[in-house]
Structures are given as structure tokens and as C-alpha cells.
Amino acid sequence: MSASIERAAEVSTSLAEIKSRVQGLAAGCTRTPTLVAVSKYKPASDILTCFEDGHLDFGENYVQELVDKAEALPAKIRWHFIGTLQSNKAKTLAAIPNLHTVQTLTSSKTAKALDKALPPQRTTPLNILIQVNTSGEDAKSGLLPLSSASEDNITSELFKLAKTVITECPRLHLQGLMTIGSLEQSLDAKETKENPDFETLNETKDVLQKLLAKELEGQPNKWGEEGRLVLSMGMSSDFEAALKAGSDIVRVGTGIFGDRVKKTAQLPTS
């Protein structure tokens, strides 16, 4: 399964560079950001190279690809599912012993399916991030964001789903929110300009935290980390801007592994 010497060196160098940039922006912060290496379409050998360099968090977009890689790779890896998830795939995904987080939850049906399908031998809750469509693009999945100016937040699909996870899914842990922002907004944002998608997710987080604290009083340990929701935003093209905007998790694929091959292409196995 080992990568060639040249490929291993390439991946190791890229990973070290991205980690250095993440750590540089995290210097002086109380939080330590999580770097998720997005490895979809990449061979297991690339992931193993990163793992041998001490990296543990990896993201996959497709259930079967994640199943196959999880079976072939070390159990210490923390897998993050970051693709669209339908409830009929929940049982297959939940069976992965070292599935750490599902970052793309959008329905109560899927939440309940995951909660029910987690194997009895699993001793830790499955972390959940609810996906928010901050850009309003039809092609993007996710629930509508919340606004501090709205009076309808308590009846929103986002709050209802968050409450369902917390009160009806005891084996899940609502960790926070995730977004895949507009690429155009990301590329347009300069050092002196805020990214509207990141601002929207931050506002949504603030509103939802207040709602949860009020409506679920006495259950502060049922959601988030230390009383606050975690944010996953930022990818290869904008992870530094995301970190500056307060992201706790960034998802970087191309910056570590290079350009992806097309899904229809034959993937190397070693």
C-alpha cells in the first residue's frame, strides 16, 4: 500500500506546509483548529503517508469509498464524512468503528437513522455538524441560516433539527455547524474584506447558541464544546480567511494531495 518515495515526499511536504499555515494563524488563540485532510478519490497510500506523519483527521465524500478505506487503513484514523448523506446510507456509514464526525446532517430522519444504526460496542457519541447553506445556491445542500433580525428562528428547520439531535438522539453529539461557501465569494474576499458566508455562519452560530441555552436550559453539556458550537468552514482556497473568521475546522484536499482525478478514472491501489 505504500506510496512511491517521490509521491510520499510530495504529500508529506504539502501536509507540513498546510499545517504550518494553520498553526501560524492559531498562534495566540485559545482554540486549536482541526485540519481535516480531504482525501476523496485519493489512494489509501496517500492517506497512510499522512497518518505516518502523525495526521489523524481525514474527510471523505462518498459512503462506499469511506467504508473501503476505513477497512484498509489504521483504526486510529478519525474519519469525517463531508458528503451528502441520505438516510438509507446511514446504517452503512454508522458501522464504521472509527467514524468520528458527520459534518453534513440536514434532516431529522437521517439523524435518527444514524442514532439507531450505531453499533452497541461503540462507546463514544458520534459528533454531528449541521450543514448550513450560507450562499443560497441551489446546487448546495444545507438548511437556511438564522438571522438575529428574525423572529422566526425558533420555528426554523435548523433549530428543530438541532433540538432533535440533542433530545431524541442520545448516541449523537451536536458539535456545531458546517458550510460550503460560495467559491466566488471566497476568491473575491481580500485581506480587508470579510467573506459573507463566514459572517453568515458565525451569526447563525450565535443565534442558535442563544436559542439552545434558553430552550434547553439545564442541558449545557448536550451540545457544542465548552458551551459553544464548533464551526467547520474553509477549504483549500480560503482556509486561512476561515480561520481568521473563527473557524474551528478547516477541510483541505487539493492543498495537501494535489488536484483530484475524475471520479470515473481508475484509481491506483498502491
Side-chain angles (χ1 to χ4, degrees):
M1 187 188 291
S2 298
S4 68
I5 295 174
E6 294 78 9
R7 176 58 179 168
E10 177 186 7
V11 171
S12 291
T13 299
S14 297
L15 175 63
E17 180 187 349
I18 296 295
K19 279 189 170 183
S20 177
R21 289 161 66 182
V22 170
Q23 291 166 359
L25 286 167
C29 297
T30 55
R31 59 188 172 84
T32 301
T34 297
L35 169 64
V36 174
V38 179
S39 48
K40 70 175 182 180
Y41 304 156
K42 293 300 179 180
S45 55
D46 280 1
I47 301 170
L48 187 60
T49 294
C50 295
F51 175 78
E52 290 174 345
D53 286 343
H55 195 72
L56 297 178
D57 294 279
F58 294 89
E60 291 287 339
N61 290 63
Y62 301 102
V63 173
Q64 192 55 52
E65 186 175 355
L66 177 47
V67 167
D68 294 342
K69 288 177 176 176
E71 289 177 350
L73 289 160
K76 289 185 178 180
I77 285 176
R78 296 188 291 249
W79 293 107
H80 298 246
F81 185 76
I82 59 174
T84 301
L85 179 62
Q86 298 175 332
S87 58
N88 62 353
K89 295 286 187 179
K91 185 175 181 179
T92 302
L93 187 65
I96 299 172
N98 50 335
L99 179 66
H100 182 271
T101 304
V102 172
Q103 295 201 20
T104 50
L105 185 72
T106 57
S107 78
S108 295
K109 182 178 180 181
T110 302
K112 292 175 182 178
L114 283 168
D115 185 71
K116 181 180 179 180
L118 287 171
Q121 61 268 30
R122 185 183 177 107
T123 58
T124 57
L126 174 62
N127 292 310
I128 295 293
L129 302 181
I130 296 175
Q131 185 172 355
V132 181
N133 187 345
T134 54
S135 64
E137 297 170 278
D138 292 338
K140 297 282 177 66
S141 298
L143 302 181
L144 293 176
L146 305 181
S147 169
S148 56
S150 174
E151 297 181 355
D152 300 321
N153 291 316
I154 199 167
T155 61
S156 67
E157 291 301 313
L158 179 53
F159 175 69
K160 290 178 182 177
L161 178 53
K163 188 174 180 180
T164 294
V165 173
I166 295 168
T167 62
E168 299 181 38
C169 302
R171 306 198 67 197
L172 306 184
H173 176 70
L174 179 64
Q175 191 179 32
L177 305 172
M178 174 268 208
T179 191
I180 302 173
S182 163
L183 178 60
E184 182 180 356
Q185 294 284 11
S186 171
L187 296 177
D188 285 347
K190 306 296 181 182
E191 290 293 328
T192 57
K193 182 181 177 183
E194 299 294 335
N195 184 312
D197 289 315
F198 299 162
E199 290 184 311
T200 297
L201 197 65
N202 267 303
E203 181 177 7
T204 298
K205 177 198 72 172
D206 292 341
V207 173
L208 184 56
Q209 283 180 169
K210 291 178 181 178
L211 281 174
L212 292 175
K214 179 181 179 181
E215 297 297 319
L216 301 175
E217 188 177 0
Q219 302 183 61
N221 297 323
K222 295 287 186 178
W223 54 270
E225 293 182 359
E226 298 179 352
R228 58 179 290 275
L229 293 168
V230 167
L231 295 183
S232 174
M233 54 187 189
M235 298 183 287
S236 289
S237 62
D238 58 4
F239 73 89
E240 288 170 307
L243 289 169
K244 291 177 182 178
S247 187
D248 302 281
I249 303 169
V250 291
R251 312 176 304 273
V252 179
T254 303
I256 296 171
F257 299 108
D259 292 334
R260 300 187 185 100
V261 297
K262 293 182 179 179
K263 189 177 181 182
T264 53
Q266 181 67 38
L267 293 180
T269 58
S270 62

